[in-house]
């Protein structure tokens, strides 16, 4: 890594302190940032909490009832609770590590540090972050097209709807600071909350669901719930259901970037506590109620199982807002990484210049266009979410933070009962990450192969993709 990769005046990747002067360093970084025209380090912990909630309160919540329908009550709830606990532990470990290395700007810097300031780890992390984020932007383009298809009764070609969503995403992504995006996130969370509430009301008042993956009601008999997977449930289906749950609990790939734009990054645990409380409620309660009313007819997203078309449109329509804004969050983080590689040292990165804004706009257009292409060529985004969970979340949700724990506590891993228990827990976290990377990735690939073996939706299709 050359000296050209400076992230702040006077900082060169690889010349970090050991953390003894972290707070002085943070103060200096914030002071330097506030001298610029475009100030990045401005978010309070409250605004960070809004940003976290905006990124986490998403459509994936409505896929959790399907996961319960595959796994049953016992394995499903255990997986959800365990993921929540591991999410908190790994996020706190990540924050502690960043406080020792406050110059970290993104998950790529984080990977560089935890693997011993390895340039290879930095390049690997960069590739993985870009692939993960652009694929997720593609997922949100496809979701937006599904929403518009559903609301309009397929009044236009699906590819046209995707283009509309892409253009809207580009326009909304133009603000360069996350503080601006955090205002959007409050609106995003509110709209997703309304969508979830309407779904729960409609699922409760309708007589029966309309549709399940095995056919229309009552093809599979009366609605029922069960403690364990039904006979005939495959291992691949169970693994995909587990990874579907894991996916929603692993947002840490964005956290280093969020922390780097806080005025007081030491306050991040406060924002994290707000997110953990919201997630514990919204990830579990709607899923449980949805599975109760839909049973074996649960689909992903659960809106698709509603029997009354007007109910489906009324609830699913609100999803267009979080779909766009979450895409904006991922686009902002991705664009900042690319932008820093191009103009990181120059005045254009923190001033209102024609070149600076032109480069930002070109990068943002390129990111959304790539997302659009992925949205059009991928046959099943559900299976690709499992692939993302296995290939990327294994590293960015588990492995990286188990290694960070080891780096933070080398020499005292077993000094006392409490520290020993945490060490054993982090060994388990590492094992979970490796399991997702091995058997989990195999299951995701098997599901994608099965998709391609069947009827594959043609690329850039006009076919109706309404739920």
């Amino acid at each position: 890594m050359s000296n050209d990769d400076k992230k702040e005046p006077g900082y060169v990747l690889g010349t970090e302190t050991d953390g003894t002067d972290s707070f002085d360093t943070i103060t200096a970084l914030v002071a330097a940032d506030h001298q610029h025209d475009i100030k990045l380090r401005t978010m309070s912990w409250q605004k960070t909490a809004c940003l976290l909630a905006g990124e986490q309160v998403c459509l994936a919540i409505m896929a959790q009832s399907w996961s319960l329908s595959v796994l049953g009550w016992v394995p499903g709830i255990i997986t959800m609770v365990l993921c929540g606990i591991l999410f908190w532990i790994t996020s706190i470990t990540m924050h502690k590590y960043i406080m020792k290395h406050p110059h970290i700007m993104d998950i790529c810097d984080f990977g560089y540090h935890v693997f011993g300031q390895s340039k290879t780890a930095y390049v690997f992390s960069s590739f993985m972050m870009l692939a993960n984020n652009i694929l997720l932007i593609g997922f949100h383009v496809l979701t937006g097209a599904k929403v518009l298809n559903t609301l309009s009764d397929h009044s236009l070609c699906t590819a046209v709807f995707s283009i509309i969503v892409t253009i809207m995403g580009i326009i909304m992504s133009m603000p360069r600071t996350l503080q601006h995006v955090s205002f959007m996130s409050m609106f995003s969370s509110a709209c997703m909350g309304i969508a979830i509430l309407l779904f729960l009301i409609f699922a409760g008042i309708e007589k029966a669901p309309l549709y399940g993956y095995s056919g229309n009601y009552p093809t599979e008999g009366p609605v029922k719930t069960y403690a364990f997977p039904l006979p005939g449930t495959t291992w691949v289906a169970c693994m995909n259901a587990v990874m579907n749950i894991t996916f929603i609990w692993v947002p840490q790939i964005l956290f280093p970037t969020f922390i780097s734009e806080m005025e007081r990054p030491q306050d991040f645990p406060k924002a994290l506590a707000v997110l953990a409380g919201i997630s514990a409620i919204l990830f579990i309660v709607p899923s449980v109620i949805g599975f109760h009313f839909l049973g074996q007819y649960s689909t992903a997203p659960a809106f698709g199982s509603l029997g009354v078309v007007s109910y489906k449109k009324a609830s699913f329509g609100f999803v267009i807002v979080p779909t766009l804004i979450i895409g904006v969050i991922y686009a902002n983080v991705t664009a900042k990484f690319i932008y820093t590689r191009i103009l990181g040292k120059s005045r254009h990165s923190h001033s209102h210049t024609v070149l600076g804004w032109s480069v930002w706009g070109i990068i943002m257009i390129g990111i959304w266009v790539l997302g659009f292409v992925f949205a059009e060529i991928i046959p099943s985004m559900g299976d690709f979410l499992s692939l993302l969970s296995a290939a990327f979340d294994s590293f960015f949700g588990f492995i990286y933070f188990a290694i960070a724990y080891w780096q933070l506590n080398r020499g005292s891993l077993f000094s006392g009962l409490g520290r020993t228990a945490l060490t054993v827990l982090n060994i388990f976290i590492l094992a979970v990450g490796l399991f997702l990377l091995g058997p989990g990735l195999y299951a995701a690939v098997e599901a994608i192969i099965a998709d391609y073996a069947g009827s594959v939706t043609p690329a850039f299709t006009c076919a109706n993709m309404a739920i």
Side-chain angles (χ1 to χ4, degrees):
M1 197 62 57
S2 69
N3 287 0
D4 291 335
D5 291 314
K6 294 181 181 179
K7 301 295 179 63
E8 297 285 350
Y11 168 62
V12 181
L13 195 63
T15 62
E16 300 78 5
T17 66
D18 62 2
T20 55
D21 59 349
S22 292
F23 289 107
D24 290 339
T25 303
I26 291 169
T27 301
L29 290 171
V30 173
D33 175 78
H34 286 190
Q35 294 175 7
H36 301 155
D37 293 336
I38 299 174
K39 300 172 180 61
L40 298 179
R41 296 177 180 269
T42 56
M43 285 201 300
S44 63
W45 73 262
Q46 293 92 340
K47 289 177 181 176
T48 305
C50 291
L51 193 63
L52 292 172
E55 192 270 329
Q56 278 287 78
V57 182
C58 60
L59 180 62
I61 293 171
M62 301 307 297
Q64 304 307 300
S65 295
W66 170 80
S67 293
L68 287 176
S69 75
V70 174
L71 298 171
W73 287 118
V74 176
I77 296 298
I78 289 174
T79 302
M80 289 178 176
V81 172
L82 183 60
C83 282
I85 294 170
L86 297 185
F87 157 76
W88 175 262
I89 293 169
T90 53
S91 298
I92 290 296
T93 299
M94 176 209 65
H95 178 255
K96 287 180 179 178
Y97 193 87
I98 291 176
M99 287 299 93
K100 287 200 69 174
H101 304 276
H103 290 96
I104 288 176
M105 297 292 288
D106 49 45
I107 195 68
C108 308
D109 286 353
F110 192 93
Y112 169 82
H113 281 283
V114 297
F115 289 100
Q117 298 185 8
S118 165
K119 295 178 182 179
T120 301
Y122 185 85
V123 172
F124 173 77
S125 301
S126 302
F127 169 78
M128 295 285 278
M129 183 195 73
L130 291 173
N132 178 79
N133 290 6
I134 293 173
L135 280 169
L136 276 173
I137 291 167
F139 170 74
H140 287 93
V141 169
L142 181 60
T143 301
K146 283 180 177 287
V147 174
L148 296 178
N149 260 302
T150 302
L151 294 178
S152 68
D153 296 320
H154 188 52
S155 62
L156 290 174
C157 173
T158 293
V160 174
F161 281 134
S162 296
I163 292 172
I164 292 171
V165 173
T166 301
I167 293 172
M168 293 172 66
I170 292 170
I171 295 171
M172 293 173 64
S173 297
M174 283 304 158
R176 281 164 64 175
T177 66
L178 285 172
Q179 175 164 278
H180 288 88
V181 179
S182 70
F183 290 113
M184 299 184 200
S185 296
M186 291 186 283
F187 191 50
S188 170
S189 300
C191 287
M192 193 66 222
I194 293 171
I196 293 170
L197 182 61
L198 288 175
F199 163 77
L200 296 177
I201 293 171
F202 295 150
I205 64 177
E206 69 179 9
K207 293 182 178 179
L210 170 65
Y211 169 74
Y213 289 130
S214 297
N216 291 347
Y217 179 87
T219 305
E220 292 291 303
V223 172
K224 62 182 178 181
T225 62
Y226 29 90
F228 296 95
L230 294 173
T233 304
T234 65
W235 179 83
V236 169
C238 288
M239 275 304 305
N240 278 327
V242 168
M243 288 188 292
N244 190 56
I245 295 170
T246 304
F247 173 81
I248 199 173
W249 277 105
V250 180
Q252 291 101 323
I253 188 172
L254 303 181
F255 284 7
T257 304
F258 293 171
I259 293 172
S260 74
E261 295 200 24
M262 291 183 69
E263 193 164 19
R264 286 179 49 84
Q266 56 267 42
D267 288 342
F268 180 75
K270 298 178 183 178
L272 187 66
V274 173
L275 175 65
I278 292 172
S279 299
I281 295 170
L282 289 183
F283 291 1
I284 297 176
V285 175
S287 310
V288 167
I289 297 174
F291 182 44
H292 171 75
F293 286 115
L294 302 177
Q296 73 274 31
Y297 293 95
S298 299
T299 58
F303 300 109
S305 295
L306 291 175
V308 181
V309 173
S310 59
Y311 291 173
K312 186 182 301 184
K313 289 184 177 182
S315 54
F316 192 46
F318 281 96
V319 174
I320 191 66
V321 176
T323 294
L324 283 166
I325 293 175
I326 294 169
V328 167
I329 295 172
Y330 277 94
N332 184 284
V333 172
T334 307
K336 275 200 176 77
F337 173 77
I338 300 172
Y339 190 88
T340 304
R341 306 283 79 71
I342 300 172
L343 296 174
K345 279 177 55 180
S346 71
R347 65 185 180 89
H348 304 288
S349 65
H350 50 70
S351 300
H352 295 292
T353 65
V354 173
L355 178 61
W357 278 103
S358 297
V359 171
W360 178 262
I362 291 169
I363 292 171
M364 197 59 73
I365 291 170
I367 288 170
W368 278 95
V369 168
L370 273 175
F372 165 78
V373 171
F374 279 120
E376 295 304 302
I377 64 176
I378 290 173
S380 170
M381 286 305 297
D383 289 339
F384 269 76
L385 285 182
S386 295
L387 180 65
L388 288 174
S389 180
F392 302 129
D393 292 350
S394 56
F395 287 102
F396 297 136
F398 299 96
I399 295 173
Y400 273 34
F401 307 115
I403 300 298
Y405 174 85
W406 175 75
Q407 293 278 21
L408 285 169
N409 298 285
R410 279 185 299 178
S412 60
L413 292 171
F414 300 97
S415 60
L417 185 60
R419 179 59 55 79
T420 300
L422 275 175
T423 299
V424 171
L425 185 56
N426 276 275
I427 292 172
F428 174 71
I429 289 170
L430 179 63
V432 170
L434 294 173
F435 181 77
L436 287 177
L437 187 60
L441 187 59
Y442 170 79
V445 171
E446 282 292 310
I448 292 171
I449 291 173
D451 276 340
Y452 276 105
S455 58
V456 177
T457 303
F460 302 98
T461 181
C462 276
N464 187 0
M465 299 186 71
I467 61 171

